[in-house]
Amino acid sequence: MSKVTEVRLTLAALIYGIEIDLKSTINKNIVPYFSDLNFFQNQELIDKVSERFSKENPGIDILLNIEDSIDYLDFHDTFVILNKNKSFLTKQGSEYLKNIFKSLEEITPIRNRVMHTRPLLGGDFTTVYNFVSELSSKDPIDWTITLETKNKIENDPSYVLTLTLPTIEYQNSQQKVIHNLPLPDFDETGFIGRKNDVDDIKKLIFSNKVVSIIGDGGIGKTALALKIAYDIVDMNDKSPFDLIIWTSAKTTMLTPKGIEDIYNAITNYTGLVDLISDTLEIEKTTSDKLEEIIEYFSLFNTLLIIDNLETIQSEEVIEFIREAQMKCNIVITSRIGLGELEYRRKLKGFSDAESTKLIREIARIRDSETLLKLPQETLIEISNKLYHNPLAIKWFVNTVEAGISPSEVLNNKDDLLDFCLTNVYGKLSAGAIKILSTLRAARKSLRSAEIIYLSELEPIEVRKCLLELFKTTLISSEITDGGNIEETNYYISDFAKDYLTKNHTIDARFIKQTSSKLRDLTLSTAHLKKVNAYNTFEINAIIYRNSNEKIAAKYLQDALTLSWKKEYDEAIKKVNEARNIVPSHFESYRVGGFIKATSGDLLGADDDYRLGLEIEPENHKLLYFYSQFLLFQMEDPDSALEYAEKLAEQNVEHPSVAFLFVRIFNTKREYNKGINKLKALLENHLDSKNERIAYTELISLYNHMGQSFANIEKDFDNSLRHFKRAITVYQECAEKKILDPKMIKNFSETLLACFQMLPLTSLQDDKDYFKNLISDNDSKIGLTNMKHKIIHRFSEKFDDYSLSSLLDETNSNSDRHMGTVRRSQNNASKPFVFIQTDDKSRYYANMFDFTDINNRSDWKKIKNGQLVSFEIGSNPQGECAKNIKIIE
């Protein structure tokens, strides 16, 4: 059992003894004179005790067991009741109670902290034990149980050991903050400047569990942390902390002789735990020091300071901080932070005034006339050349003090750079060197995802190498706002940049390659913005909200391109790369689900969509695409409607969402709902693409409605009326010249269903209507695989074979396909477009393969969405469109 646990149990035993003796006094001196609980003199208390008693003793009359009811009083109630009924006590007893009443009130909150497992405060043990120690068997109140408990504790060695703990200073009611802070190493000049830093970090410490002071080597992190720690100590009783523990993992120090090792420094997790446990005087034989430490943190308001954390940063140390910060406040100085655990405070170099003051202070102490005579402007210029780094400034003054002129020191700054960075670069891994080269070639700060993309290293390798670099002074980081989350920018400090430029050149080809990749990324980003502006519910409308997601989006673009080429394995690899870069980016799950569904991996697709929705349950695009997947791939319209309705609940108004509902209603045979939604949609001003989709869906709904009337209700008149409505919509679209392959296909399906499902008696009067309809649209019907069936059904239905001559042309169109031109207005001058078919296949189409195009003027007139027929041919890049004809 740990000492702190024994202290808590000791207090519990003593306070429990006091409580029992007070309750016994009530039973002995007051209860015999009452037949009810009115001596409580508090109706609320009577009700509370009665309720507690009845709950544990159902059916038993409390008034017949008043003595037992006293057990259900709280500690505070006992001496309050005695005070209210002191007339039943002896005169000596009444006076005695008056004398100890305040002490009992002081014990009440201690009792609550002990019994309700709340952290104990300094002085708790002393307050209780001193009170008990003054009790006597001769007191007017009978303390039999309390005194027996005290004697048992004093006679039992396992309890005696615990009694030494509360004697430490912070148990004193006038306690000051206990600490093990080292003497400051800035005593020579005193702590200079950083007033805003001191004030800001104090506020952060008082309001955050983990605060990291981040900055370059030599920037003054340790001095600042030590100054703040002493300030908190000097707050005395106003300090929010009872205990400050300082640990340092600094392994080297700068002296006039150079960098020297600190041999007693912490070098690993074990050393950190050992130092803390030694500070808390935890026995060396304790088997689990970590448990003891955490327990101390639970009982005393503690501020733990870990200096130079990057020296010992490991998974064990991070896990320790993760657990300890639940019980205490932690301040860290480091060149690298802990991520989500901390609140970071970046420490920059000195200001001009602070830098010059440091130079003058050291010069004055050293009586350096050379530096004391320099004007302020010259000292500011020197500070700029020394990066306003306190360590560099001290090195400069020390070197000048050695007899070298200031100008000579600054002109030979290589000595300073080598002094700070010698052997650092040579010990770096190949991956770390490549990251440095990437940052230098990019000539700007980069996010981790950008580094992954430009360096072509694996994400885990980049993260490992960044950690490696942060153990040096070669790179720094800064937190910027990236949308709704914070992003980390990595850059090479001026200090390191000068060193690398002078000592390590970069191959020119690598610089050009990096620049080319950055240009590609910019173009990719511009394309994504255009696609999203056109329709955010397109599969390739990939959203990114910060720089890391922008890189992931580039990989997802590449994945979609590979999937359109049916290279699904490679496409999924790209998706996984995107997911490794930003695991929380919902788009990687949406695109992954789409590609897996396209390749036939339906269960894998379902898993991806569900994972994405776990990350962002209300994401519009995920809900839309998952609903679409459930409808078409899983053939589950009920579940599809469930997810579509979540979009409606969020008031997502977009034509694509409306079309999704229409298709669900169509599948569920709720045709009127779909028709009403389409009519409402068409009343708005839709762009040409969405207008075509709306009419295409309307044709489909009328067609299916006609089939339903014919097949289920056997209402052939209504059936014919709805088939004709579908045909009318098609004819209106033909007049508007907005036909597309899907619309022609739906029209053809309507004709075929009409002839197949309706009897001759219902169609007889419309023979000429249908005959002319087929003849007028022969060229378009011929582009489908239904022309032969339609004409044969017509001939058999009406016993009229006059359209058979049209079948002679069928073979000539058997190898032709329908599609629509896909081009942007910005690309109207380019001699090629893409043709997209009904099944989303895309084919390259050169201007010279259009049989109706004679010149550039005709070419520029072709609009996006133009309906064409074509044959599939090939070129060196693969399949393409050939012999392309415009369908008017």
Side-chain angles (χ1 to χ4, degrees):
M1 186 185 301
S2 66
K3 291 183 179 180
V4 288
T5 300
E6 290 175 359
V7 169
R8 182 178 291 273
L9 292 176
T10 300
L11 287 174
L14 294 174
I15 295 173
Y16 187 56
I18 297 171
E19 187 171 337
I20 291 175
D21 287 334
L22 290 173
K23 288 177 179 179
S24 296
T25 302
I26 295 174
N27 277 323
K28 179 181 179 181
N29 294 280
I30 303 174
V31 171
Y33 300 99
F34 287 87
S35 59
D36 53 32
L37 301 179
N38 287 332
F39 63 90
F40 286 3
Q41 300 183 36
N42 183 320
Q43 186 58 48
E44 185 178 343
L45 179 59
I46 293 173
D47 294 340
K48 181 175 70 174
V49 170
S50 297
E51 181 182 351
R52 291 176 178 177
F53 181 89
S54 298
K55 187 174 182 180
E56 292 194 11
N57 303 278
I60 298 177
D61 189 349
I62 191 173
L63 297 181
L64 299 177
N65 298 274
I66 296 177
E67 186 173 335
D68 293 336
S69 72
I70 303 303
D71 289 337
Y72 296 91
L73 291 171
D74 288 332
F75 178 83
H76 185 264
D77 299 329
T78 58
F79 57 84
V80 170
I81 289 173
L82 284 170
N83 191 52
K84 289 180 177 180
N85 294 276
K86 53 188 175 184
S87 60
F88 292 93
L89 302 177
T90 64
K91 183 178 180 181
Q92 294 84 352
S94 176
E95 188 66 28
Y96 177 72
L97 180 63
K98 179 181 178 181
N99 292 335
I100 67 169
F101 195 87
K102 185 177 180 181
S103 296
L104 292 172
E105 284 193 321
E106 291 176 351
I107 292 173
T108 299
I110 300 173
R111 184 263 181 199
N112 293 335
R113 286 194 285 272
V114 172
M115 299 304 180
H116 298 293
T117 322
R118 294 295 185 266
L120 301 178
L121 301 181
D124 281 357
F125 185 89
T126 302
T127 298
V128 174
Y129 202 78
N130 286 347
F131 175 81
V132 173
S133 297
E134 293 175 1
L135 300 181
S136 167
S137 59
K138 297 179 181 180
D139 290 337
I141 290 179
D142 186 359
W143 298 112
T144 300
I145 300 300
T146 308
L147 293 174
E148 287 180 358
T149 302
K150 173 177 173 288
N151 291 333
K152 180 181 177 182
I153 291 173
E154 291 178 344
N155 294 326
D156 188 333
S158 64
Y159 284 96
V160 171
L161 290 174
T162 66
L163 301 182
T164 59
L165 179 62
T167 62
I168 59 178
E169 183 181 347
Y170 53 74
Q171 293 293 339
N172 192 298
S173 59
Q174 299 298 321
Q175 66 188 45
K176 296 180 181 178
V177 180
I178 303 303
H179 66 86
N180 68 332
L181 296 175
L183 293 175
D185 59 2
F186 47 80
D187 277 352
E188 183 182 39
T189 60
F191 189 81
I192 291 176
R194 300 225 186 262
K195 183 180 185 307
N196 290 336
D197 292 320
V198 170
D199 292 341
D200 290 348
I201 293 173
K202 278 184 187 176
K203 292 177 183 177
L204 291 177
I205 293 171
F206 295 152
S207 58
N208 295 275
K209 298 301 291 185
V210 181
V211 176
S212 289
I213 304 173
I214 306 298
D216 293 335
I219 209 69
K221 302 184 294 294
T222 300
L224 178 62
L226 196 55
K227 171 66 168 60
I228 291 169
Y230 271 108
D231 284 353
I232 295 173
V233 169
D234 291 339
M235 291 172 68
N236 293 320
D237 293 338
K238 294 182 180 179
S239 170
F241 303 109
D242 306 318
L243 183 64
I244 297 179
I245 301 173
W246 176 278
T247 61
S248 179
K250 187 173 291 187
T251 57
T252 58
M253 60 181 177
L254 180 62
T255 70
K257 297 179 181 179
I259 297 178
E260 295 184 0
D261 291 333
I262 301 174
Y263 293 103
N264 61 346
I266 298 172
T267 58
N268 53 36
Y269 165 73
T270 302
L272 175 67
V273 172
D274 285 345
L275 179 57
I276 296 173
S277 62
D278 288 345
T279 303
L280 296 174
E281 298 183 355
I282 294 174
E283 295 180 3
K284 295 182 179 180
T285 57
T286 301
S287 59
D288 194 342
K289 293 181 180 179
L290 179 59
E291 182 180 343
E292 293 272 359
I293 291 169
I294 298 300
E295 193 165 7
Y296 264 98
F297 292 166
S298 299
L299 299 175
F300 304 107
N301 294 324
T302 304
L303 176 63
L304 173 64
I305 303 174
I306 306 176
D307 184 37
N308 268 51
L309 178 67
E310 76 275 1
T311 308
I312 60 168
Q313 187 160 323
S314 65
E315 286 301 320
E316 286 181 311
V317 172
I318 293 173
E319 185 57 35
F320 166 75
I321 292 172
R322 182 178 286 112
E323 185 174 355
Q325 58 97 20
M326 302 297 291
K327 305 294 183 181
C328 72
N329 289 58
I330 301 174
V331 173
I332 292 163
T333 73
S334 180
R335 296 173 188 173
I336 180 172
L338 299 171
E340 77 283 358
L341 285 177
E342 69 192 346
Y343 192 102
R344 289 189 184 184
R345 180 54 155 79
K346 174 74 175 179
L347 191 61
K348 299 179 181 179
F350 272 174
S351 65
D352 286 345
E354 291 168 343
S355 298
T356 56
K357 183 176 181 180
L358 177 59
I359 295 174
R360 291 191 185 280
E361 287 295 328
I362 301 175
R364 187 173 291 110
I365 293 169
R366 305 286 176 80
D367 196 24
S368 174
E369 294 185 7
T370 304
L371 293 176
L372 287 172
K373 292 179 181 178
L374 293 177
Q376 184 75 358
E377 294 77 10
T378 303
L379 293 182
I380 291 175
E381 183 180 347
I382 291 172
S383 300
N384 287 330
K385 292 180 179 180
L386 294 171
Y387 321 103
H388 292 284
N389 184 299
L391 179 68
I393 291 172
K394 289 180 180 180
W395 168 85
F396 167 80
V397 175
N398 288 336
T399 308
V400 171
E401 182 66 19
I404 303 174
S405 69
S407 58
E408 187 177 351
V409 174
L410 293 174
N411 290 333
N412 291 280
K413 203 163 49 179
D414 291 352
D415 292 340
L416 169 64
L417 297 173
D418 289 340
F419 179 74
C420 293
L421 300 173
T422 295
N423 298 324
V424 173
Y425 187 89
K427 295 178 181 179
L428 294 176
S429 65
I433 291 174
K434 190 166 188 181
I435 289 176
L436 279 178
S437 299
T438 301
L439 283 165
R440 294 170 67 194
R443 291 165 295 158
K444 63 176 184 176
S445 64
L446 298 173
R447 275 77 165 181
S448 59
E450 292 171 321
I451 295 173
I452 292 168
Y453 170 69
L454 295 172
S455 68
E456 298 182 355
L457 295 171
E458 292 294 323
I460 191 170
E461 180 70 11
V462 168
R463 294 180 184 115
K464 184 179 74 174
C465 292
L466 284 173
L467 286 175
E468 178 185 350
L469 286 166
F470 267 110
K471 294 177 182 178
T472 72
T473 55
L474 294 174
I475 69 168
S476 298
S477 65
E478 61 182 354
I479 305 298
T480 58
D481 185 14
N484 294 325
I485 63 173
E486 289 184 336
E487 293 186 308
T488 303
N489 281 6
Y490 301 97
Y491 63 94
I492 301 175
S493 63
D494 292 338
F495 219 146
K497 193 182 298 179
D498 287 350
Y499 169 81
L500 294 170
T501 299
K502 291 178 180 179
N503 296 282
H504 304 281
T505 57
I506 306 177
D507 187 278
R509 289 172 297 180
F510 184 82
I511 296 174
K512 292 179 180 179
Q513 181 184 14
T514 302
S515 298
S516 176
K517 286 183 178 180
L518 286 171
R519 283 195 302 273
D520 288 345
L521 187 60
T522 301
L523 293 174
S524 173
T525 302
H527 175 71
L528 285 177
K529 288 180 178 178
K530 289 181 181 178
V531 174
N532 273 292
Y534 181 66
N535 182 3
T536 188
F537 290 103
E538 287 283 354
I539 181 59
N540 58 340
I542 300 169
I543 291 174
Y544 65 87
R545 296 160 294 193
N546 52 62
S547 294
N548 284 344
E549 288 187 357
K550 178 171 70 176
I551 301 300
K554 177 67 172 67
Y555 284 100
L556 295 175
Q557 273 186 305
D558 295 342
L560 286 173
T561 300
L562 289 166
S563 73
W564 288 324
K565 297 177 182 178
K566 299 183 179 180
E567 298 176 15
Y568 299 119
D569 290 342
E570 292 301 314
I572 293 299
K573 285 182 181 178
K574 288 290 182 183
V575 171
N576 289 335
E577 287 182 38
R579 204 169 291 178
N580 284 334
I581 292 172
V582 190
S584 61
H585 190 202
F586 78 91
E587 287 286 25
S588 66
Y589 299 94
R590 181 181 69 88
V591 173
F594 174 82
I595 294 174
K596 288 178 181 179
T598 305
S599 69
D601 181 9
L602 299 187
L603 293 180
D606 189 68
D607 286 342
D608 270 14
Y609 283 122
R610 287 180 178 274
L611 282 171
L613 285 168
E614 284 183 14
I615 295 171
E616 296 192 25
E618 298 181 355
N619 185 278
H620 298 170
K621 295 183 73 174
L622 280 172
L623 291 170
Y624 172 82
F625 277 91
Y626 188 43
S627 177
Q628 192 169 250
F629 166 77
L630 291 169
L631 178 65
F632 295 116
Q633 301 291 342
M634 304 301 282
E635 300 180 2
D636 184 357
D638 292 328
S639 295
L641 181 60
E642 176 187 342
Y643 283 91
E645 286 175 339
K646 292 181 179 180
L647 286 169
E649 290 170 2
Q650 297 180 47
N651 297 318
V652 180
E653 296 182 1
H654 192 278
S656 294
V657 176
F659 295 144
L660 174 61
F661 274 101
V662 168
R663 289 156 188 160
I664 293 172
F665 292 145
N666 199 345
T667 305
K668 290 171 65 66
R669 300 182 181 179
E670 297 176 1
Y671 305 117
N672 282 323
K673 287 185 179 180
I675 290 170
N676 291 335
K677 187 169 279 290
L678 284 174
K679 287 182 176 179
L681 195 62
L682 285 165
E683 289 177 359
N684 299 322
H685 296 291
L686 297 175
D687 59 45
S688 59
K689 178 182 178 181
N690 285 317
E691 184 183 24
R692 284 199 303 272
I693 295 173
Y695 282 122
T696 300
E697 295 296 336
L698 194 56
I699 293 171
S700 176
L701 283 166
Y702 281 132
N703 174 24
H704 290 157
M705 207 165 180
Q707 292 183 40
S708 177
F709 276 115
N711 192 39
I712 299 175
E713 289 92 339
K714 304 299 180 184
D715 184 349
F716 299 123
D717 289 340
N718 251 333
S719 175
L720 178 59
R721 185 160 51 252
H722 283 88
F723 282 139
K724 284 186 174 181
R725 285 180 181 175
I727 292 168
T728 299
V729 173
Y730 168 80
Q731 290 175 318
E732 291 174 356
C733 293
E735 290 176 5
K736 293 181 178 182
K737 296 184 178 180
I738 59 172
L739 294 180
D740 67 12
K742 185 71 179 293
M743 202 179 293
I744 294 171
K745 179 183 176 184
N746 286 356
F747 162 69
S748 300
E749 288 177 346
T750 301
L751 281 178
L752 185 58
C754 183
F755 297 150
Q756 287 177 332
M757 304 184 78
L758 295 182
L760 179 61
T761 53
S762 297
L763 295 173
Q764 187 64 53
D765 294 340
D766 292 298
K767 173 184 174 182
D768 291 339
Y769 165 79
F770 284 111
K771 185 175 182 177
N772 292 333
L773 192 64
I774 295 171
S775 298
D776 293 343
N777 291 278
D778 173 54
S779 62
K780 297 178 180 65
I781 298 173
L783 294 171
T784 72
N785 60 1
M786 288 176 274
K787 179 177 179 178
H788 189 276
K789 292 180 181 180
I790 290 170
I791 292 177
H792 275 287
R793 286 289 183 177
F794 173 87
S795 301
E796 292 174 357
K797 183 69 68 175
F798 297 101
D799 196 22
D800 181 348
Y801 295 89
S802 59
L803 296 178
S804 298
S805 59
L806 298 178
L807 296 176
D808 295 338
E809 302 174 10
T810 302
N811 291 335
S812 63
N813 289 329
S814 60
D815 293 330
R816 296 194 68 76
H817 304 268
M818 277 193 299
T820 51
V821 169
R822 288 287 173 259
R823 78 183 312 176
S824 67
Q825 293 302 316
N826 295 333
N827 294 334
S829 61
K830 293 186 177 180
F832 68 88
V833 293
F834 287 91
I835 297 175
Q836 184 168 308
T837 62
D838 183 41
D839 63 358
K840 303 296 184 183
S841 297
R842 289 165 63 92
Y843 296 91
Y844 171 86
N846 193 282
M847 177 181 76
F848 301 106
D849 287 310
F850 281 74
T851 59
D852 305 310
I853 299 299
N854 298 313
N855 51 53
R856 284 274 182 176
S857 178
D858 291 341
W859 174 249
K860 291 181 180 180
K861 292 178 182 178
I862 295 181
K863 297 181 179 179
N864 184 50
Q866 172 66 53
L867 185 64
V868 297
S869 67
F870 65 95
E871 297 174 358
I872 298 177
S874 63
N875 62 21
Q877 282 71 44
E879 290 185 332
C880 64
K882 296 288 187 180
N883 191 20
I884 306 163
K885 296 181 180 180
I886 295 174
I887 300 176
E888 297 295 343

